[in-house]
Amino acid sequence: MSFDLLLKNAVLPDGRPADIGCAGGRILAVEPRLEAEAGQVIDAGGRLVAPPFVDVHFHMDATLSLGLPRLNQSGTLLEGIALWGELKPILTQEAVIERALRYCDLAVSQGLLAIRSHVDVCDDRLLAVEALLEVKAKVRDYIDLQLVAFPQDGYFRSPGAAANLLRALDLGVDVVGGIPHFERTMADGAASLRALCEIAAARGLQVDIHCDESDDPLSRHIEALAYETQRLGLHGRVAGSHLTSMHSMDNYYAAKLIPLIAEAGVHAIANPLINITLQGRADTYPKRRGQTRVPELRAAGVNVAFGHDCVMDPWYSLGSGDMLDVAHMGLHVGQMTSREAMRWCFEAVTTNPARIMGLEGYGLAPGCNADFVVLQAADPIEAIRLKAARLFVVRRGRVIAESAPRLARLALPGRPAQVDAAAYAPATA
Ligand code: FE2
């Protein structure tokens, strides 16, 4: 057998040693030891190989716009939405495309090769929709970009949003979005979910709703979303994003709700970096964290992913396209500190969101796309701990990004000449 690319001495996320042989853009063999001819051989040196990172919740139309036209002074979600409203009329298609492509460069360097981005459809010009459709076509060889038609200012509350959403879907946007907690009333929110899920059912599309992104313990849109999913038979095709009100809900009600979400096959997407900074803003002390009930949803069998949501935009000044940064925050906020739960947090930025996006050929088994990342870490926990360097990023059997290992030189008498943080492995895995 001969390969285009042979990865030697790697370790899979489950701990098995593996050589991976690729040809024609696909993985042909995954074995503890492969001896074969290959056009290119990479020695992983006993380090972790993982499928690419996946960000299932992002806003690429707003990314890298930090400071335009001003900064978010309060740091709240609502000022962020207002600020985005100020920016929208002065957006140009060229600027949105340029920023999105720059973000995609950053994403690739971080091994992030699949992104689901919401795109605001409340601007009648649909300028951002057209811009991101162009970006999607431009990056298709290296990033799977899925777009969600997102009525940021409300499906009912914003005049024209309902018609614009359909126009965006007609133009090729993939997924139906919504924001029920931003409608004028709870009843309008529920009605928006009914309408949006019916559109998805009629068109055979997926649904991804900004759902209950508030600290209101009585916000109940996730209940309505699970109900509509059941009613229309959309099992497995619907995601609830944020779900932060669940953090504040009465425990008795949450114990009734979570099995309903599981029964409907609704996916849950937490956005740890954003939820921990935007929620609890009206609290004094104690301040609520606002991240949805990740361990409990997971225990009930709900597929849960972590999304990045924002990078340097009206809602969040930080971020770097690093899904390990996202997993690190999600782990801390969710207090998911057992070895098993920490390994799961790695899945929450790889395999779990890949399932939500319905990515075909994703994974490290023979027959899958030859897409993977070699990290400067021995295992997924160490990858999260160190936000490990992406030594090699491979797409369809071709290296598309490389980073040097992070090593620090020491100048201390009697001590080693360099420090490799990835060499501090625990005694037990
Ligand atoms: Fe979002």
Side-chain angles (χ1 to χ4, degrees):
M1 204 182 293
S2 144
F3 301 114
D4 302 335
L5 175 71
L6 176 59
L7 180 71
K8 300 279 294 176
N9 303 315
V11 177
L12 297 171
D14 65 9
R16 285 178 295 143
D19 291 357
I20 299 179
C22 312
R26 295 201 171 265
I27 294 173
L28 294 192
V30 181
E31 303 286 345
R33 181 84 36 227
L34 274 173
E35 298 298 341
E37 293 292 306
Q40 184 181 6
V41 178
I42 296 174
D43 185 358
R47 285 165 168 152
L48 175 66
V49 61
F53 294 104
V54 179
D55 180 7
V56 71
H57 189 112
F58 195 62
H59 294 264
M60 203 176 277
D61 49 357
T63 195
L64 305 183
S65 68
L66 183 68
L68 295 175
R70 61 179 177 83
L71 291 167
N72 182 338
Q73 296 299 331
S74 67
T76 59
L77 171 67
L78 292 181
E79 186 178 343
I81 293 174
L83 178 48
W84 174 238
E86 292 170 36
L87 175 56
K88 262 192 277 191
I90 55 173
L91 285 177
T92 66
Q93 209 164 55
E94 297 69 35
V96 173
I97 291 169
E98 190 268 336
R99 286 194 287 263
L101 288 174
R102 278 179 62 222
Y103 183 75
C104 289
D105 295 341
L106 182 63
V108 167
S109 74
Q110 303 277 28
L112 169 55
L113 303 186
I115 300 173
R116 172 182 279 185
S117 174
H118 295 255
V119 52
D120 190 351
V121 297
C122 289
D123 179 346
D124 291 338
R125 298 172 298 168
L126 292 186
L127 174 150
V129 169
E130 287 177 358
L132 291 195
L133 283 168
E134 190 171 327
V135 170
K136 178 179 171 171
K138 277 195 156 83
V139 303
R140 60 178 303 161
D141 287 343
Y142 52 93
I143 289 181
D144 295 303
L145 178 57
Q146 205 173 65
L147 299 177
V148 185
F150 175 47
Q152 170 78 73
D153 301 325
Y155 180 72
F156 290 128
R157 190 171 167 184
S158 171
N164 290 348
L165 184 134
L166 293 178
R167 282 170 56 214
L169 297 176
D170 289 341
L171 287 171
V173 170
D174 310 274
V175 179
V176 179
I179 185 164
H181 56 275
F182 200 71
E183 303 294 350
R184 289 193 175 88
T185 63
M186 283 291 290
D188 267 8
S192 77
L193 291 173
R194 171 172 289 250
L196 292 163
C197 287
E198 285 179 355
I199 291 168
R203 293 183 175 231
L205 299 176
Q206 296 191 71
V207 177
D208 192 329
I209 301 292
H210 280 68
C211 198
D212 298 324
E213 188 181 2
S214 77
D215 297 316
D216 176 1
L218 297 177
S219 194
R220 294 284 190 262
H221 297 301
I222 179 57
E223 180 187 87
L225 184 62
Y227 174 80
E228 295 298 338
T229 304
Q230 284 277 12
R231 182 176 72 85
L232 296 163
L234 295 173
H235 301 74
R237 287 165 48 189
V238 175
S241 282
H242 293 291
L243 306 175
T244 52
S245 69
M246 287 182 67
H247 186 95
S248 298
M249 277 174 187
D250 170 70
N251 286 333
Y252 179 85
Y253 173 69
K256 178 200 170 194
L257 173 66
I258 289 173
L260 292 175
I261 298 171
E263 183 186 85
V266 170
H267 308 283
I269 303 168
N271 296 297
L273 296 166
I274 307 313
N275 299 152
I276 196 66
T277 45
L278 292 185
Q279 302 314 127
R281 286 280 179 153
D283 294 354
T284 54
Y285 288 94
K287 285 181 190 288
R288 284 168 288 176
R289 298 169 184 218
Q291 180 164 289
T292 195
R293 301 188 185 209
V294 174
E296 292 78 10
L297 285 162
R298 185 188 164 218
V302 177
N303 180 39
V304 187
F306 291 145
H308 204 321
D309 202 359
C310 301
V311 171
M312 297 176 74
D313 69 9
W315 296 273
Y316 188 59
S317 303
L318 305 174
S320 57
D322 182 356
M323 295 309 292
L324 290 172
D325 192 19
V326 173
H328 191 266
M329 182 61 76
L331 182 160
H332 283 76
V333 178
Q335 299 183 330
M336 302 178 75
T337 50
S338 72
R339 307 294 293 176
E340 187 273 337
M342 289 194 285
R343 275 192 289 272
W344 178 88
C345 288
F346 191 85
E347 293 171 14
V349 292
T350 52
T351 50
N352 297 0
R355 206 175 126 201
I356 299 175
M357 286 184 69
L359 295 177
E360 285 175 17
Y362 182 87
L364 294 181
C368 290
N369 293 326
D371 301 350
F372 49 79
V373 184
V374 178
L375 294 132
Q376 191 187 358
D379 59 46
I381 297 172
E382 195 173 55
I384 293 174
R385 181 174 72 84
L386 299 171
K387 296 166 203 161
R390 283 66 167 168
L391 302 177
F392 299 95
V393 178
V394 173
R395 171 87 169 183
R396 305 295 192 263
R398 193 170 73 82
V399 176
I400 59 170
E402 269 182 77
S403 298
R406 279 188 217 130
L407 296 171
R409 265 188 240 287
L410 275 193
L412 296 174
R415 300 306 303 157
Q418 66 178 25
V419 172
D420 174 2
Y424 288 69
T428 53

